[in-house]
Amino acid sequence: MIYSNRRNFVKRSSLGITGSLLLPSIGFAMPSGEQYGVQLYTFRNEMAKDPKGTLEQIAALGIKKIESARSKAGLYYGLSPNEMKNTCDSLGMQLCSGHVALDKDFDDTMRQAVEAGQEYVICSSLPSKGQNIGNYKKVAEAFNKAGKACEKLGLKFGYHNHEYEFESDKGEVLYDVLMDNTDPDLVHMELDLGWVVIAGKDPLDYFKKYPERFPLWHLKDMNMHEKISTEFGKGGLDIATLLQHKSDSGIKHIFIEQEEYASTPMESMKHNMKFLKAL
C-alpha cells in the first residue's frame, strides 16, 4: 500500500530549491527563540558515569530539549523513567524523545516512555535484516503496528535512519519503500541529515517528495572523506540552507548529534551552539 500524508493536500510550490548541500553557506539569520535539543548518545560515556551531573552541564549550554538513547544501564542510563523526567524538569529541559528497539520488550519500552513523559519513541535500527524490498515492506508493516500501539498510549512512534537505508534493490531506494508503505499518521520519521548526505542523497529532495514527513531531525555535520561526524562548519552539510527549509520537512524538534570529537563532547557541543547562534 502506498501511503500519502493526509494532512498535505496542497502542492508546496516553495520547494523549487537549487544548489548543493555539499557547499558551505553563511549569513542565514536564525529566528529568535529557536530551541535546539541534543541526542544523548553524543555524551554516552559521560551519561554512563554521571547522568544527572552531565545533564546539568548540558543544560548550562542552553540546551532545552533532550533525546535519550538506550544503554547498557537501560533506557535512561540507570535512572528510572520518573527520575529522568524530574531531573530534566528541574533543569528546565524537556525529555521529548528516546531511541529504542522494536523488540520483545517493546510493551515495557512504551510503558517507560509514558512514565518519562516523552512524546516520541524512535526505533533506532531495523527490527529485521535484509537489504531488499521484501524486508522493508515487512518492516513498514511492523512500524505501522507499533505506531498504532503507541498512539493508544498517547505516544508517537518513529524511525531514525542511517546510511544503509538509501541502498537500492531492483531499482528502488529502500528508504523510499519504507516511506511509501508507512502511514504518516502513525510513523513519524527522524531524518539523520548527516547520513543522508553521506549516502549521496539530498535531504531537500526528501522534503519535496515527502513534505512534512520528518518532524524530527538529527543535525549532524559529517567529514565527507572519512564518513564520520565532526563539529558544525567543518564538514559537508549545508546547515544554513537546511534550516531555511526546516518547515518544509514538518519540523518539530531538532536534535544535535555528534559521535566523534576534536577534543571532548562538551567542547564540541559548545562549538556547535556557537556556530548556530552565529548563523
Side-chain angles (χ1 to χ4, degrees), residues 35-38 40 47 51-67 84-96 116:
Q35 290 188 350
Y36 291 99
V38 66
L40 289 178
M47 288 297 297
K52 291 185 178 181
T54 301
L55 288 171
E56 289 176 2
Q57 293 182 62
I58 293 170
L61 297 178
I63 296 291
K64 299 296 183 182
K65 298 181 179 183
I66 294 295
E67 182 176 59
M84 186 69 175
K85 179 182 185 303
N86 289 340
T87 301
C88 288
D89 287 348
S90 70
L91 295 170
M93 296 192 296
Q94 179 187 5
L95 179 63
C96 303

Side-chain angles (χ1 to χ4, degrees), residues 102 125-139 142-143 159 164 167 174:
L102 184 55
S125 60
L126 293 178
S128 58
K129 295 182 179 181
Q131 287 299 93
N132 55 69
I133 292 173
N135 182 54
Y136 274 68
K137 286 186 175 180
K138 175 184 175 182
V139 168
F143 283 178
Y159 180 67
Y164 57 80
E167 295 175 3
L174 293 170

